[in-house]
Amino acid sequence: MEGIVSVFRDNLPWVWVAVTIICVVIESLTLSLTTIWFGISAFVMVFLAFTPLPFSAQLFIFVALAMVLLIFTKPIVKQKLSQRKIATNYERVIGQIAVVTKRISALEKGAVKINGMEWTAAVKENVTLEEGSKCIVEEIAGVTAYVKQI
């Protein structure tokens, strides 16, 4: 038993490296912003493992640091990440029937109304769509709906 404890104690930095890798892999698979804090804490412990601190003290520091990071930084990071999301539902518009509200030709953009919303529209073919005619949305590129004649 003493031999196993000795091997464990001598390789403690590698144990913390393994914990770091495991936590990062789990976080990359779940994206829950939970295990990343334990991974960061384990990374700090890699360096503390070279000090004469006993494993029980290292384990306490690991858990305490992870909890502090989890409690205080997770809400801030989650808020910052959620601010960057831009909700768009343009995929739902593709394939919808639209009504031309401003004449569209191969040389000039016009406008269409799709589900009550006005979109800038263009055609890819050499056709002209007159105001009031119906068309189908083929593609969305930026703020322009590319339509085709029905």
Side-chain angles (χ1 to χ4, degrees):
M1 184 70 171
E2 182 63 34
I4 294 173
V5 173
S6 175
V7 169
F8 179 75
R9 192 178 317 118
D10 294 341
N11 292 309
L12 207 47
W14 291 108
V15 170
W16 290 118
V17 167
V19 172
T20 302
I21 292 169
I22 291 168
C23 289
V24 170
V25 167
I26 291 171
E27 182 63 38
S28 67
L29 294 174
T30 62
L31 299 174
S32 64
L33 284 179
T34 302
T35 54
I36 191 68
W37 310 118
F38 288 89
I40 293 169
S41 182
F43 182 71
V44 170
M45 297 314 300
V46 170
F47 300 103
L48 286 179
F50 290 108
T51 66
L53 281 173
F55 178 70
S56 58
Q58 290 180 28
L59 191 59
F60 175 78
I61 293 169
F62 166 72
V63 172
L65 180 59
M67 288 297 133
V68 167
L69 289 171
L70 182 65
I71 292 168
F72 293 109
T73 58
K74 181 180 177 180
I76 295 167
V77 171
K78 214 168 194 177
Q79 180 185 18
K80 293 288 183 188
L81 290 176
S82 68
Q83 287 176 352
R84 293 184 183 158
K85 291 181 184 174
I86 300 173
T88 59
N89 290 323
Y90 75 91
E91 293 95 353
R92 294 185 321 161
V93 173
I94 297 172
Q96 294 278 328
I97 294 177
V99 177
V100 179
T101 57
K102 183 180 172 192
R103 184 177 182 269
I104 308 167
S105 71
L107 300 176
E108 63 181 330
K109 290 183 178 181
V112 293
K113 194 170 235 178
I114 311 165
N115 297 330
M117 291 181 57
E118 187 101 350
W119 284 74
T120 302
V123 290
K124 291 184 176 181
E125 301 157 358
N126 191 14
V127 295
T128 301
L129 300 173
E130 297 296 333
E131 190 174 325
S133 62
K134 292 186 178 182
C135 54
I136 294 178
V137 180
E138 288 184 300
E139 176 185 343
I140 301 290
V143 295
T144 303
Y146 285 91
V147 297
K148 67 178 179 179
Q149 192 173 22
I150 294 180

